[in-house]
Amino acid sequence: MRKNIIAGNWKMNKTLQEGLELAKGLEAALKDRSYACGIIIGTPFIHLASLPAVIDTKKIAVAAQNCADKESGAYTGEVSAAMVKSTGAEYVILGHSERRSYYGETFEVLKEKTLLALKNGLKPIFCIGEVKAEREANKQNEVVKAQLEGSVFNLPAEEFSKLVIAYEPVWAIGTGLTATPEQAQEIHAYIRSLIADKYGKEVADNTTILYGGSCNAQNAKGLFVNPDIDGGLIGGASLKVEDFVAIIDAIG
Ligand code: PGA
């Protein structure tokens, strides 16, 4: 059966020194404890290569927050999937709404990034979700369907099975507004049904689908008890050890 995961997304926060302190704090807080989920931290690129020296990456896996849509070469400022992989990172967050809206990442670009991530042995955490106006027009199902069809439903089943999906309603990200457990469960079940239609029930049942968007220690449990919510992608609350650990505890 599928794995529960709590993944942190540090976004553009923490200098190298601050990030290593945060990672060390998390390592210390989780040491000698058992927990029922996979744990991932999604850090800025600059932290990636230094993390294996301060955490046990078998217990706390590492994710990049992006990778290039090109293999290598003259692309100033970009970081390739192969480079990310060479640091020991296991995952890469792709399709985050901030990348889609601020950096113009299209379905096509995300399709390329996903292919390159997989080709280089990284597991994508692929984000989807609607903006406020789309939710108000009750178009959320159409939106997530198009996002999956546009960037990842081209993959063969074996490759798709390496993905983690993160449903993140854009109106809930960093706003303090969270989808209700009912809203989240409803769309998670719909996403799983789309995966089942495309790849069959077994692949769908084995796909981890995370919820993201103002998930915190207070509301996490109410979200995670739902059958189709397999953990969270956590932004703000991943920047403090106590908050992130409380969310890990909420998955039970
Ligand atoms: P948030 O961010 O928890 O701060 O809302 C979640 C995300 O964007 O991944």
Side-chain angles (χ1 to χ4, degrees):
M1 262 314 256
R2 59 186 175 262
K3 187 173 168 185
N4 287 329
I5 293 175
I6 303 295
N9 176 9
W10 292 3
K11 308 194 180 183
M12 198 177 72
N13 293 295
K14 305 288 175 192
T15 62
L16 177 59
Q17 291 74 17
E18 290 165 350
L20 293 179
E21 281 309 306
L22 175 58
K24 272 193 224 168
L26 188 61
E27 171 82 14
L30 297 175
K31 206 173 160 60
D32 305 326
R33 284 192 30 179
S34 62
Y35 32 86
C37 60
I39 298 168
I40 305 172
I41 50 176
T43 76
F45 288 129
I46 59 140
H47 298 78
L48 296 178
S50 304
L51 284 167
V54 298
I55 57 169
D56 177 355
T57 53
K58 282 192 219 67
K59 286 170 86 179
I60 304 173
V62 176
Q65 299 170 15
N66 184 25
C67 69
D69 62 337
K70 302 286 191 301
E71 195 120 34
S72 67
Y75 301 101
T76 302
E78 288 294 296
V79 175
S80 73
M83 291 171 183
V84 170
K85 178 69 183 176
S86 72
T87 66
E90 200 180 327
Y91 293 88
V92 57
I93 299 169
L94 292 176
H96 192 281
S97 63
E98 288 151 17
R99 303 279 336 156
R100 292 179 191 262
S101 67
Y102 304 149
Y103 302 99
E105 294 194 2
T106 62
F107 288 2
E108 211 42 52
V109 162
L110 291 171
K111 190 193 257 186
E112 286 309 311
K113 291 189 176 198
T114 303
L115 287 170
L116 284 168
L118 289 166
K119 186 176 167 195
N120 287 283
L122 292 170
K123 295 175 207 157
I125 300 172
F126 191 81
C127 304
I128 56 178
E130 80 287 354
V131 300
K132 191 158 180 271
E134 291 162 341
R135 170 64 68 166
E136 283 167 357
N138 202 27
K139 291 214 160 94
Q140 61 276 9
N141 286 9
E142 277 172 54
V143 171
V144 296
K145 185 168 191 253
Q147 289 170 330
L148 290 169
E149 287 178 347
S151 303
V152 294
F153 274 2
N154 56 302
L155 296 168
E158 202 190 319
E159 293 295 291
F160 182 86
S161 302
K162 295 172 186 158
L163 266 58
V164 170
I165 302 296
Y167 168 67
E168 299 204 299
V170 181
W171 47 272
I173 296 177
T175 58
L177 295 172
T178 321
T180 64
E182 295 73 26
Q183 284 173 323
Q185 166 55 27
E186 192 182 350
I187 192 154
H188 278 233
Y190 174 69
I191 292 164
R192 201 176 303 286
S193 77
L194 292 172
I195 299 169
D197 290 348
K198 175 75 189 168
Y199 294 108
K201 187 170 178 331
E202 197 184 331
V203 172
D205 284 345
N206 285 323
T207 302
T208 297
I209 308 178
L210 307 179
Y211 169 79
S214 297
C215 185
N216 57 38
Q218 285 71 46
N219 60 30
K221 212 179 187 103
L223 290 157
F224 300 161
V225 291
N226 291 284
D228 289 294
I229 303 179
D230 310 315
L233 181 56
I234 317 298
S238 71
L239 295 172
K240 282 209 187 112
V241 172
E242 313 78 68
D243 294 350
F244 195 55
V245 170
I247 295 172
I248 292 168
D249 286 339
I251 204 145

